[in-house]
Amino acid sequence: MSKLRVGLLFGGCSGEHEVSISSARAIAKALSAEENANKYEILPFYIQKDGRWLAGEAPQKVLKSGVPLLESSNSPSPAESNIVSNPQQKALERWQSPSQVAEVDVWFPILHGPNGEDGTIQGLLTLMQIPFVGSGVLGSALGMDKIAMKMAFAQAGIPQVKYKAVTRAQVWSNPCVFPKLCDEIEADLGYPCFVKPANLGSSVGISKVRSRQELENALDNAANYDRRIIVEAGVVAREVECAVLGNDQPQASVVGEITFDSDFYDYETKYTEGKASWLIPAPLPEEISSKIQDMALQAFAAVDAAGLARVDFFYVEATGEVLINEINTLPGFTATSMYPQLWAYSGIPFPELVDKLVQLAIERHGVSQ
């Protein structure tokens, strides 16, 4: 039987470029593991930070080193310079797909953040009519936009913290509108609260605020990242997570807990070794763990996710409440990331997990091997 050619798509134009490389390296290793080596052939595709797609030796080099390529490393040769002499031509040249794209049987996109998990790349892969791992356009877009996500959760009746949607236009408005907006946030949510860009991952641009001055500064900062902003009420709770795997009949993993000493789970805490630790399984009452698993499956269905997702919750011990925080339809995928760790404890080791995701992609798109 011929090997299935897996197009491993990584890198990207977002601020999570380096995280994507780390995830891709782990997936490539899993696809090359003994139990998968006879089933799959890896065709790596690397998207530089400037949007240029590269195939062949370049992505192999990145996978081996773990270091992004400089944009200048693929500047056009003198013979090509006349082809890319103006911005429009340069943009067109960047978006030329490598010829190897035609050889891909199934895509494994592991692009984190904007342009990677927000439905844009999923739309392109859908147009290619080739199976791909993960959610489609709708699930990805809902999973990325925190405001739309929370609206979907509310419609599904899933409990969550109080929040308020804000636009950049409101923040960068005249001196009469902005103070009124801050008054409304203080009255509705109080302090502390969290200000977040609606469409960025990995805690980028997020601020915890405790005063009017901090609120004003946080809103202005978030508006630099996104035209849609969400403000959430703070809650004293434990942060727990559950992984979901499947398509129309998904399964939930054991529940894990994140512990950290910083004020909140910000970018530095998330990606600096030793800043945070995990407890798998989370030391929770059995009925609470079951409730979290059920809610994770509800959230997965609410946004029409597929393949994989990690769902994050707040467990308020004082009241016994479980509140959903968010769903991540393309979570970090290094061998030590929470998603694969949760499944490893649940009985699915990393190479098997990657294999299942590829097979789920094929199943969802109705393509047989």
Side-chain angles (χ1 to χ4, degrees), residues 18-340:
E18 287 77 9
V19 180
S20 172
I21 292 174
S22 296
S23 293
R25 296 181 77 196
I27 291 168
K29 183 177 180 180
L31 288 171
S32 302
E34 183 178 357
E35 53 267 57
N36 290 329
N38 292 327
K39 298 172 65 175
Y40 303 117
E41 176 185 351
I42 304 170
L43 298 179
F45 294 84
Y46 174 61
I47 302 179
Q48 290 193 140
K49 293 183 178 181
D50 66 350
R52 187 189 305 267
W53 286 47
L54 303 177
E57 293 183 6
Q60 295 285 7
K61 179 180 178 181
V62 178
L63 287 176
K64 184 176 181 180
S65 67
V67 178
L69 290 180
L70 297 176
E71 294 174 19
S72 60
S73 66
N74 286 277
S75 298
S77 66
E80 298 172 312
S81 60
N82 63 320
I83 301 175
V84 290
S85 58
N86 63 55
Q88 291 80 9
Q89 289 173 326
K90 287 181 180 179
L92 181 62
E93 193 272 343
R94 279 200 305 269
W95 288 105
Q96 293 298 311
S97 298
S99 60
Q100 293 91 329
V101 164
E103 301 173 18
V104 173
D105 295 315
V106 57
W107 286 99
F108 201 130
I110 194 67
L111 299 160
H112 302 303
N115 301 311
E117 56 180 299
D118 57 4
T120 50
I121 196 69
Q122 287 76 16
L124 177 61
L125 299 181
T126 298
L127 288 173
M128 290 182 183
Q129 301 184 48
I130 302 295
F132 60 89
V133 170
S135 296
V137 174
L138 176 62
S140 300
L142 285 174
M144 187 67 180
D145 188 293
K146 294 178 176 64
I147 296 172
M149 175 200 305
K150 288 184 177 295
M151 292 174 69
F153 291 160
Q155 184 67 30
I158 305 174
Q160 55 191 325
V161 298
K162 290 182 65 178
Y163 70 93
K164 185 175 181 63
V166 178
T167 66
R168 177 187 288 159
Q170 290 175 288
V171 176
W172 290 350
S173 59
N174 64 63
C176 296
V177 174
F178 186 55
K180 184 179 179 181
L181 171 66
C182 293
D183 289 342
E184 292 174 355
I185 292 172
E186 288 179 328
D188 294 345
L189 305 179
Y191 297 115
C193 60
F194 290 86
V195 178
K196 307 176 180 179
N199 286 280
L200 285 181
S202 290
S203 305
V204 175
I206 296 178
S207 303
K208 182 177 182 179
V209 302
R210 306 171 186 79
S211 68
R212 180 61 168 254
Q213 184 62 53
E214 289 182 353
L215 175 61
E216 292 175 355
N217 292 339
L219 287 169
D220 183 65
N221 178 55
N224 283 299
Y225 289 100
D226 198 349
R227 53 176 291 275
R228 285 159 62 82
I229 302 161
I230 187 167
V231 186
E232 299 173 348
V235 60
V236 178
R238 293 163 62 180
E239 298 199 21
V240 294
E241 300 182 345
C242 183
V244 180
L245 175 69
N247 290 328
D248 294 332
Q249 296 180 316
Q251 295 178 307
S253 72
V254 298
V255 178
E257 181 173 5
I258 301 169
T259 60
F260 48 89
D261 295 326
S262 56
D263 203 21
F264 69 99
Y265 197 42
D266 58 9
Y267 187 92
E268 182 182 0
T269 302
K270 186 174 291 187
Y271 292 113
T272 303
E273 187 174 353
K275 289 274 188 177
S277 58
W278 305 323
L279 298 172
I280 303 176
L284 298 169
E286 185 176 343
E287 64 272 17
I288 295 298
S289 291
S290 296
K291 185 176 184 179
I292 290 169
Q293 290 172 319
D294 289 342
M295 288 174 65
L297 295 176
Q298 291 175 37
F300 193 82
V303 302
D304 191 33
L308 74 161
R310 193 197 69 234
V311 192
D312 304 344
F313 297 90
F314 297 121
Y315 170 49
V316 186
E317 280 190 289
T319 61
E321 290 178 285
V322 176
L323 304 172
I324 192 167
N325 178 19
E326 63 181 18
I327 187 170
N328 189 323
T329 58
L330 202 62
F333 223 96
T334 70
T336 57
S337 294
M338 189 64 143
Y339 182 86

